[in-house]
Amino acid sequence: MFMTERREPRFFRFSSTAVRWSLMASGVLLLVLTLWVARYIYLESEVRNLAGVKQMQEQFEALKQDLSDEIEKFQALQEKVRKLENQLKGKSYAPSREDAETQNFPVLKGAPFSPDGMEDVLQAYKLFTSRRGELESQYNALNEEVAQRLSLLEYVPSIPPTSTLSISSGFGYRRNPMNGRIDFHPGLDIRGDPLDLVRATASGTVTFAGWKGGYGRTVVIDHGNGFVTWFAHNYSLLVQAGERVKKGQAIARIGSSGYTTGPHLHYEVHYGEKIIDPRIVLNVNVFTVKSILSRVRR
Ligand SMILES: [Zn+2]
């Protein structure tokens, strides 16, 4: 009974030392473990950070590539716009100094992955977007100009009145085939087979369709802008006075009515009080229409 009573406290004393040691040991172990875990977490987050940085760098390079591609497209468009702009002005195209500056975007290619490099790319991007904005408004202005010229052209007698334009007698002074005398020929005589179609050379309103003395069966079209066209010696007429006609629309068939030696179309172009050589406005296009019209108006 005593022995057991004695033993128990001894066992307790011994065990208390062991417990302290083991507690200390496990404390150290815990500390080491904690440090390991902390280090592991830290390293893992470092690895994740590095992956993040790598991803950012890849995004940065992709952004530079996208911007370079956009700039390339922009430059191709810029060249087209400049060419069109110059063609509309009747000038030939030469790259301007401003364009040459835009060609460079020098910072872009070499920009390193760094705050400075990012700043450079940002600057290049801002420059690019402002240039693109300018180009867009130039492009829109050109589009408007072309649209305006096309609507102008619609009422300028610019297409041949027959499918083939074979001229037997030109505009101006000539020996009259009917009487051999020198006289003024106010139009073009265009060869054609009888019944070939005659077409309106511009849109407008038919002001006369009928017999007109030596002109025979004649169509007169008023184009509403100073231009009036005459088509004479027809075999038959396909339109009536007051009718609206479109450019290219068939208006008559070639014949030899009136004062003529044989089947042909006599074609006149009037501008205001003047009668002009139809060839002045023949084949005029969107690029030349403005300068040719100012020539006609003089
Ligand atoms: Zn004639």
Side-chain angles (χ1 to χ4, degrees), residues 42-61 113 118:
Y42 170 74
L43 282 175
E44 202 199 34
S45 79
E46 278 294 278
V47 166
R48 246 187 278 131
N49 280 346
L50 277 176
V53 168
K54 195 166 183 296
Q55 202 181 5
M56 268 169 70
Q57 186 164 10
E58 281 169 3
Q59 283 172 351
F60 177 71
E61 295 302 329
F113 178 57
M118 286 186 193

Side-chain angles (χ1 to χ4, degrees), residues 8 57 149:
E8 267 189 273
Q57 186 164 10
R149 289 184 186 211

Side-chain angles (χ1 to χ4, degrees), residues 152 156 225 227 271 274 289-290 292-298:
L152 200 64
V156 174
N225 51 2
F227 283 106
Y271 185 79
K274 299 183 284 188
V289 66
K290 275 205 163 170
I292 288 180
L293 281 186
S294 66
R295 199 178 129 194
V296 170
R297 286 174 187 142
R298 275 203 294 270

